[in-house]
């Protein structure tokens, strides 16, 4: 009887090793949705109808979140327990947890990756904003999360579509200030082509001071900019805000001349080039001179013909 020695094939061994390596590399990169499911959080909070009624105001507060938006948010790699650490092991959760205060600055202040955002400056700007200084009853518990949903927030990136940035940022304001879109309200009646402006610029471009980074000092309506030349001029405030990085990006990708002619950051009065203005005037002057010389030449020729016919 002949005995055949069974040896593992090199191909199978290599395939198994590669599969194990890929699995080990992907395991730590579990998304927030997967982590949340491990903790059974989304079994309840993925329900769109999950909410409770505020005992004092009677308002309905939603406790639902969109798993897809969470998975694409800036906090996607965090587990629910990284922020909601204590008191959530009991179901249903205790009522006092509804008043839990989670501070963005406290978490991000010591992170070197967030140093460029200057969260201490943001906190100072917020303290000076109308959202913090107003005595309106709806602003008593106003905080970062009132505008920036931590389960969906994602900061705009250089290169993002400008229209998408404008729509996303403006929708943050319109979630509360939805009445300004009422055509019968006159709060923005002074603004010509109102809807066209709202599609091209953000609310904060007029309702905040001009700063190199987006300011969180939201100004009252009376203090907000209503000057057309603030945007439609060479020193446009948009150069320090919405279009700051897009102008540089267009020049880097398409070249200086092309970026002036074809770009997403063109604003009447802002996107002017003194050189192109001078060249345009020179060309117009040259054309006018040629026309004048041509006309004068025809006039002289006509007079000479008349003199010869006599």
């Amino acid at each position: 009887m002949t005995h055949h020695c069974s040896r593992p094939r090199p191909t199978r061994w290599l395939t198994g090793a590669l599969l194990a390596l890929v699995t080990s590399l992907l395991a730590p990169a579990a998304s927030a949705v997967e982590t949340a499911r491990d903790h059974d959080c989304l079994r309840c909070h993925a329900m769109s109808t999950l909410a409770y009624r505020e005992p004092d105001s009677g308002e309905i507060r939603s406790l639902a979140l969109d798993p897809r938006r969470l998975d694409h948010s800036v906090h996607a790699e965090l587990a629910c327990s990284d922020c909601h650490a204590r008191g959530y092991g009991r179901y249903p959760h205790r009522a006092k947890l509804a008043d839990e205060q989670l501070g963005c600055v406290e978490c991000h202040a010591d992170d070197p990756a967030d140093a460029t955002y200057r969260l201490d400056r943001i906190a100072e700007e917020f303290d000076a904003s109308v959202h913090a200084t107003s005595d309106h009853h709806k602003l008593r518990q106003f905080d970062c999360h009132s505008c920036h949903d931590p389960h969906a927030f994602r900061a705009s990136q250089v290169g993002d579509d400008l229209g998408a940035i404008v729509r996303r940022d403006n929708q943050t304001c319109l979630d509360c200030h939805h009445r300004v879109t009422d055509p019968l309200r006159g709060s923005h009646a002074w603004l010509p082509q109102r809807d066209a402006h709202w599609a091209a610029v953000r609310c904060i471009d007029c309702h905040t001071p001009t700063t190199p980074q987006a300011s969180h000092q939201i100004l009252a309506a009376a203090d907000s900019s209503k000057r057309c030349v603030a945007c439609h001029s060479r020193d446009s405030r948009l150069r320090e805000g919405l279009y700051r990085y897009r102008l540089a990006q267009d020049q880097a990708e398409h070249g200086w001349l092309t970026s002036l002619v074809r770009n997403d950051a063109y604003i009447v009065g802002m996107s002017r080039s003194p050189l192109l203005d001078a060249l345009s005037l020179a060309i117009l002057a040259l054309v006018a001179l040629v026309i004048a010389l041509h006309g004068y030449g025809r006039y002289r020729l006509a007079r000479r013909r008349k003199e010869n016919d006599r």
Side-chain angles (χ1 to χ4, degrees), residues 248-260 262-264:
Q249 183 184 20
D250 283 342
Q251 290 186 10
E253 292 181 356
H254 306 298
W256 176 79
L257 182 60
T258 305
S259 67
L260 290 175
R262 180 184 62 82
N263 64 72
D264 295 332

Side-chain angles (χ1 to χ4, degrees), residues 10-28:
T11 304
R12 291 183 179 178
W13 179 87
L14 182 59
T15 302
L18 289 175
L19 182 60
L21 177 62
V22 171
T23 303
S24 63
L25 290 175
L26 293 179

Side-chain angles (χ1 to χ4, degrees), residues 84-142:
H84 308 286
R86 297 180 180 179
Y88 289 91
R90 177 179 174 181
Y91 301 93
H93 304 316
R94 293 182 176 88
K96 65 179 182 180
L97 293 176
D99 298 326
E100 181 183 37
Q101 297 294 324
L102 299 175
C104 301
V105 177
E106 287 76 4
C107 286
H108 291 277
D110 298 328
D111 190 343
D114 296 330
T116 56
Y117 293 107
R118 294 287 308 276
L119 294 180
D120 54 340
R121 174 187 59 83
I122 291 177
E124 294 175 358
E125 291 173 348
F126 172 75
D127 290 339
S129 74
V130 68
H131 288 152
T133 58
S134 174
D135 58 358
H136 196 282
H137 69 278
K138 290 187 177 181
L139 297 177
R140 290 174 184 171
Q141 295 183 338
F142 198 95

Side-chain angles (χ1 to χ4, degrees), residues 33 36-52 62-67 80 88 90-93:
V33 173
R37 283 173 180 159
D38 291 342
H39 292 279
D40 292 333
C41 299
L42 290 182
R43 291 181 61 185
C44 295
H45 289 278
M47 295 188 298
S48 60
T49 56
L50 185 66
Y52 75 99
S62 175
L63 296 175
L65 57 89
D66 186 340
C80 299
Y88 289 91
R90 177 179 174 181
Y91 301 93
H93 304 316

Side-chain angles (χ1 to χ4, degrees), residues 4 14 35 50 69 77 97 106 155 179 199 222 241 272 276-277 305 308-309:
H4 297 281
L14 182 59
T35 305
L50 185 66
R69 296 185 67 189
E77 296 183 358
L97 293 176
E106 287 76 4
R179 291 185 178 180
R272 293 181 59 188
L276 288 181
D277 287 348
R305 286 177 178 175
N308 293 335
D309 291 340

Side-chain angles (χ1 to χ4, degrees), residues 299-310:
Y299 168 74
R300 294 287 298 176
L301 181 61
R303 288 196 60 181
R304 182 174 297 179
R305 286 177 178 175
K306 287 183 179 181
E307 292 176 356
N308 293 335
D309 291 340
R310 290 178 182 176

Side-chain angles (χ1 to χ4, degrees), residues 16-253:
L18 289 175
L19 182 60
L21 177 62
V22 171
T23 303
S24 63
L25 290 175
L26 293 179
S31 67
V33 173
E34 293 170 346
T35 305
R37 283 173 180 159
D38 291 342
H39 292 279
D40 292 333
C41 299
L42 290 182
R43 291 181 61 185
C44 295
H45 289 278
M47 295 188 298
S48 60
T49 56
L50 185 66
Y52 75 99
R53 184 184 296 275
E54 282 278 5
D56 297 331
S57 64
E59 295 182 3
I60 301 297
R61 293 292 186 91
S62 175
L63 296 175
L65 57 89
D66 186 340
R68 291 172 298 180
R69 296 185 67 189
L70 172 63
D71 204 27
H72 289 84
S73 72
V74 71
H75 296 134
E77 296 183 358
L78 297 179
C80 299
S81 56
D82 289 337
C83 296
H84 308 286
R86 297 180 180 179
Y88 289 91
R90 177 179 174 181
Y91 301 93
H93 304 316
R94 293 182 176 88
K96 65 179 182 180
L97 293 176
D99 298 326
E100 181 183 37
Q101 297 294 324
L102 299 175
C104 301
V105 177
E106 287 76 4
C107 286
H108 291 277
D110 298 328
D111 190 343
D114 296 330
T116 56
Y117 293 107
R118 294 287 308 276
L119 294 180
D120 54 340
R121 174 187 59 83
I122 291 177
E124 294 175 358
E125 291 173 348
F126 172 75
D127 290 339
S129 74
V130 68
H131 288 152
T133 58
S134 174
D135 58 358
H136 196 282
H137 69 278
K138 290 187 177 181
L139 297 177
R140 290 174 184 171
Q141 295 183 338
F142 198 95
D143 58 13
C144 303
H145 305 151
S146 300
C147 294
H148 306 296
D149 181 356
H151 303 110
F153 176 73
R154 186 173 186 84
S156 300
Q157 303 294 322
V158 176
D160 287 354
D161 178 68
L162 283 178
I165 293 175
V166 170
R167 288 191 298 272
R168 182 170 60 246
D169 287 5
N170 285 354
Q171 188 57 50
T172 300
C173 301
L174 292 176
D175 285 342
C176 293
H177 299 280
H178 52 85
R179 291 185 178 180
V180 301
T181 60
D182 187 345
L184 299 180
R185 294 180 64 87
S187 59
H188 290 77
W190 64 273
L191 183 63
Q193 299 293 329
R194 184 193 69 174
D195 293 342
H197 277 88
W198 284 353
V201 294
R202 302 168 300 177
C203 302
I204 61 173
D205 291 321
C206 293
H207 290 276
T208 60
T210 303
T211 57
Q213 290 182 334
S215 175
H216 287 70
Q217 184 182 346
I218 308 300
L219 302 175
D223 300 325
S224 300
S225 176
K226 293 184 179 180
R227 298 171 56 250
C228 298
V229 294
C231 293
H232 297 282
S233 64
R234 289 290 310 282
D235 298 326
S236 173
R237 60 186 292 140
L238 296 178
R239 287 183 176 274
E240 292 296 326
L242 178 61
Y243 295 95
R244 180 184 182 189
Y245 298 103
R246 180 50 57 88
L247 289 169
Q249 183 184 20
D250 283 342
Q251 290 186 10
E253 292 181 356

